[in-house]
Amino acid sequence: MSREKNPLVRKHKQRALDVLLVEDNSAHAELIIRWLEAHEVAGRVFHVNDGEAALDYIFNRGQYSDTESFPRPRLVLLDLRLPKIDGLEVLTRIKATPEIENVPVIILTTSAAQRDLEKAYQNHVNSYLVKPMDHDKFKSLLNEIGYYWLKLNCDTRQ
Amino acid sequence: MKQTLSNRVEMTLTHLALVFATLVFIVFPAVYFFSAYSYETELLQDKADRTAREIAQFVYRNPEIWAQQEHKIHDLLLQQHISWSNYVRVLDHANATVASLHSPLSGITLTRSADISHGATVLGRVEIAMDFSDVLSQMVVVFLLGLAIAFTVYSVLKTIPLRALNRTMGDLARSNIALEGEARQREHLIAELETKNAELERFTYTVSHDLKSPLITIRGFVGLLEKDAAACDHERVGQDVLQIKNATEQMQQLLDDLLELSRVGRASNPWQPVALNELVAQAVTHVAGRIEQNHVEVSIARGLPGVYGDRIQLLEVVQNLLDNAAKFTYEHATPRVEISGWQQGEEVICCIKDNGIGIEPRYHEKVFGLFERLDGNSEGTGIGLALVKRIIEVHNGRVWIESDGLGCGASFCFALPSADRLTKSMQTNATVS
């Protein structure tokens, strides 16, 4: 499967981070993709609609079994309220898996509920963005994450 | 607890009554016996003494020959007015009988004697005897009487306080039961309130999340619009405006849905008996568009039972479930929806079964949540099943899904209290009040 035909891939930039975007609201997904496009850190964006698809993608199951077409993301943008499996569950599963626990996860949510925040931080979420998101804050977050990968993990993808 | 206390009191009372009864039973005849005995002996002794004194005077006048004058002594005895039932003997110093009065007694006798003295010398003695068996036979009567009194005392002591106690205990037990009932009712109410509260919290969370969502889209795309307009990118400006427009429409839809959901609890229409057959037929005509579009074959079982409730709301339930079934059968070559219903105990169960895409068991609860959609791409806001659940709950029923998973089709079932039962209970209530 060529990368151009992969429906999940929205943009391809050389030497940039592969991003998994888990967002069921298509308008929000569109918005975030537009922001990511404008940022040099973000590379290919793989977009899935629900928690189940997110886990399938991360663990290369089902239709996402091809690791070439669906590479491991280096940043996960995760909505909390998702169809099928909710965002907190996806977060817990990511952070409980040693190979991917260091992949930064940014929670994107409309919920500023204390309960959700606490649970997310208990699960070592890297950042928590409450919608309505600020474009500038989003940009600086992406900068930080780019820096994180550069500084702490010099493994640039071949 | 109540039983053991009652038993303990009964035991104590029985012991107490037994002690009293025994006392009565022993003391009453004993007192009678001893008083009878002492009275009779005193009487006899008195007679014996008196007679001995009379004879002593006679002896005093005829000291040498008194023992030979039997008839004189006999006369003397006669003058003493001694009861015919007593046997009197006069003996000389050698214990030979000088004279006697009345016939000798046999059986149990009581005898008293008194000496006949002349100065310091005892010349003989008077013996007087009575038949004691009379007293003894009286004793039997007294004994029986004692027994009767004892028994009466026993039963009175035992039963009357116990009856009073039992009455008190009964009152206590009754008020206890009433209290327990109240407590249970209160607990039930608290549990219900807690559930409602949790539901409300979930509801508020969902609503705030879902209503915010279009606002975020609008805000985000307004920001992008500014940039795209500044860059004179007309294509992108058009896209941005479309996103904003769609978001406002979505917001409108969500608000309409919420309003509809909030109407359910306020039950604006009067409840009435509703024939499911008519309801289903009407729902089918309302959903005809979708049914024809997806070429769905609909079969309705005959003789569906009746239910009781808000006809318009129940129509909405059937219509939503039917629309749902028709919507998710699009993948099947020959889409089919079957509607069946039956009476089961005091409930009417109705199932709407399709051969559509099916639902995995772990999502069976989740799909009834507000604005919850398993398929993010399907149309609608996700209000339909939440509305169904709310309406059925307002009608004191329950709703559930039977489906083995993806590709296995699904049955959406609801149970409502049957119309018969409801009308019956209403009649009972009417007669009671």
Side-chain angles (χ1 to χ4, degrees):
Chain A
M1 192 191 281
S2 76
R3 278 169 190 167
E4 286 66 34
K5 279 185 186 167
N6 186 338
L8 300 174
V9 181
R10 294 299 296 254
K11 177 96 182 188
H12 180 210
K13 269 184 244 154
Q14 211 65 44
R15 288 180 175 290
L17 300 178
D18 291 332
V19 179
L20 175 65
L21 171 62
V22 190
E23 171 65 76
D24 65 321
N25 185 311
S26 58
H28 290 188
E30 188 63 39
L31 188 65
I32 289 161
I33 287 164
R34 290 275 295 274
W35 284 354
L36 287 170
E37 277 173 3
H39 202 284
E40 56 186 2
V41 167
R44 292 177 292 180
V45 180
F46 298 88
H47 173 215
V48 292
N49 286 314
D50 59 65
E52 198 175 59
L55 288 175
D56 283 351
Y57 183 100
I58 287 161
F59 296 107
N60 292 111
R61 294 185 303 219
Q63 54 168 320
Y64 305 108
S65 55
D66 180 7
T67 50
E68 190 65 32
S69 310
F70 307 106
R72 176 173 298 168
R74 305 238 262 151
L75 169 63
V76 177
L77 299 174
L78 183 63
D79 188 14
L80 269 195
R81 205 174 122 95
L82 290 168
K84 297 183 182 177
I85 296 173
D86 84 35
L88 277 175
E89 176 69 22
V90 174
L91 176 66
T92 312
R93 302 277 278 277
I94 291 174
K95 294 300 175 188
T97 310
E99 309 94 76
I100 50 166
E101 63 176 355
N102 60 348
V103 173
V105 177
I106 300 177
I107 294 283
L108 307 167
T109 183
T110 47
S111 159
Q114 195 62 30
R115 189 178 52 167
D116 288 346
L117 259 163
E118 274 168 17
K119 273 195 207 153
Y121 280 113
Q122 272 164 20
N123 284 300
H124 317 289
V125 70
N126 298 80
S127 202
Y128 199 98
L129 269 184
V130 176
K131 302 172 186 176
M133 300 157 297
D134 190 334
H135 189 189
D136 294 332
K137 197 182 171 198
F138 189 73
K139 269 198 287 193
S140 62
L141 253 178
L142 286 183
N143 287 339
E144 273 172 36
I145 284 156
Y147 183 70
Y148 162 83
W149 280 113
L150 207 69
K151 177 107 192 256
L152 299 173
N153 197 338
C154 293
D155 163 41
T156 41
R157 201 160 280 263
Q158 299 306 306
Chain B
M1 181 68 203
K2 172 216 149 195
Q3 204 51 46
T4 50
L5 180 63
S6 170
N7 282 351
R8 244 177 16 234
V9 171
E10 187 179 353
M11 194 83 108
T12 316
L13 279 177
T14 309
H15 286 158
L16 209 70
L18 265 176
V19 168
F20 268 100
T22 315
L23 276 178
V24 169
F25 175 59
I26 291 170
V27 169
F28 185 63
V31 166
Y32 182 85
F33 177 80
F34 284 111
S35 53
Y37 178 81
S38 63
Y39 173 75
E40 293 293 345
T41 43
E42 214 171 288
L43 214 63
L44 275 185
Q45 193 65 58
D46 190 43
K47 277 182 193 164
D49 288 348
R50 216 158 11 105
T51 313
R53 270 201 306 279
E54 291 289 329
I55 293 170
Q57 276 178 15
F58 180 74
V59 169
Y60 180 72
R61 286 197 292 271
N62 313 281
E64 276 79 38
I65 50 140
W66 75 273
Q68 279 86 47
Q69 307 227 325
E70 293 160 20
H71 59 279
K72 289 269 187 183
I73 293 191
H74 192 259
D75 285 348
L76 212 60
L77 289 178
L78 277 174
Q79 285 164 19
Q80 299 307 311
H81 307 293
I82 289 167
S83 155
W84 60 270
S85 64
N86 292 357
Y87 172 62
V88 188
R89 266 198 317 173
V90 179
L91 304 159
D92 62 9
H93 63 278
N95 263 352
T97 306
V98 177
S100 68
L101 189 67
H102 307 141
S103 46
L105 300 168
S106 61
I108 303 158
T109 52
L110 187 67
T111 310
R112 279 291 175 268
S113 60
D115 291 338
I116 303 163
S117 358
H118 177 62
T121 22
V122 175
L123 296 175
R125 68 201 158 88
V126 174
E127 249 182 36
I128 183 156
M130 68 168 287
D131 191 347
F132 200 62
S133 56
D134 275 355
V135 175
L136 286 178
S137 60
Q138 276 167 15
M139 272 301 297
V140 173
V141 175
V142 169
F143 173 82
L144 287 175
L145 204 68
L147 202 65
I149 293 171
F151 182 75
T152 314
V153 165
Y154 172 75
S155 42
V156 163
L157 269 183
K158 192 186 152 180
T159 50
I160 289 178
L162 196 67
R163 216 175 289 157
L165 180 81
N166 274 343
R167 211 165 33 236
T168 322
M169 295 287 279
D171 290 347
L172 272 176
R174 265 192 298 282
S175 57
N176 217 13
I177 286 166
L179 275 177
E180 271 171 23
E182 267 172 40
R184 253 201 310 280
Q185 215 171 347
R186 201 163 45 235
E187 268 166 34
H188 181 74
L189 212 67
I190 289 170
E192 207 170 297
L193 277 176
E194 275 168 0
T195 316
K196 287 272 169 234
N197 205 28
E199 213 170 89
L200 196 69
E201 206 175 299
R202 255 197 325 274
F203 178 81
T204 320
Y205 176 82
T206 309
V207 167
S208 72
H209 176 280
D210 287 271
L211 287 183
K212 250 192 217 167
S213 183
L215 285 177
I216 292 158
T217 308
I218 293 168
R219 188 171 153 167
F221 278 98
V222 164
L224 288 175
L225 181 66
E226 281 171 351
K227 285 195 182 106
D228 293 335
C232 289
D233 188 337
H234 293 297
E235 196 192 331
R236 285 226 157 148
V237 166
Q239 281 174 13
D240 297 342
V241 170
L242 189 67
Q243 288 282 9
I244 293 168
K245 224 171 93 183
N246 287 345
T248 56
E249 273 163 20
Q250 194 198 350
M251 186 107 196
Q252 181 70 52
Q253 190 60 50
L254 288 172
L255 289 172
D256 289 347
D257 289 348
L258 273 181
L259 198 62
E260 193 177 347
L261 191 66
S262 79
R263 276 201 196 106
V264 174
R266 286 182 273 135
S268 42
N269 312 301
W271 285 26
Q272 52 182 300
V274 180
L276 265 182
N277 276 84
E278 279 175 37
L279 209 65
V280 169
Q282 199 176 345
V284 168
T285 58
H286 286 186
V287 190
R290 170 101 63 193
I291 291 172
E292 275 166 31
Q293 184 195 328
N294 287 357
H295 308 289
V296 182
E297 183 195 320
V298 178
S299 68
I300 304 166
R302 277 189 202 175
L304 299 179
V307 290
Y308 189 83
D310 181 334
R311 194 176 194 287
I312 293 167
Q313 286 182 356
L314 290 176
L315 177 65
E316 197 145 8
V317 167
V318 177
Q319 203 173 304
N320 265 307
L321 292 179
L322 199 60
D323 186 56
N324 227 32
K327 184 156 73 178
F328 291 106
T329 47
Y330 60 87
E331 278 186 344
H332 205 277
T334 51
R336 205 169 58 246
V337 174
E338 289 165 26
I339 299 158
S340 57
W342 62 93
Q343 182 106 21
Q344 187 173 303
E346 292 188 325
E347 283 183 328
V348 166
I349 293 173
C350 179
C351 281
I352 293 163
K353 187 181 172 195
D354 64 58
N355 58 357
I357 58 172
I359 300 166
E360 288 175 69
R362 59 189 156 143
Y363 302 131
H364 285 185
E365 279 292 321
K366 203 177 178 189
V367 293
F368 289 105
L370 180 63
F371 300 137
E372 204 69 71
R373 290 176 305 162
L374 286 186
D375 182 359
N377 295 321
S378 70
E379 57 188 295
T381 55
I383 189 87
L385 290 179
L387 198 62
V388 165
K389 186 166 190 250
R390 179 87 183 110
I391 293 173
I392 293 293
E393 277 174 359
V394 165
H395 283 78
N396 304 317
R398 55 210 164 81
V399 60
W400 69 96
I401 294 172
E402 288 168 9
S403 174
D404 292 332
L406 289 177
C408 300
S411 267
F412 281 78
C413 302
F414 61 84
L416 290 171
S418 80
D420 298 348
R421 201 194 68 160
L422 275 171
T423 37
K424 238 183 264 167
S425 75
M426 271 163 50
Q427 277 165 2
T428 342
N429 283 347
T431 34
V432 168
S433 59

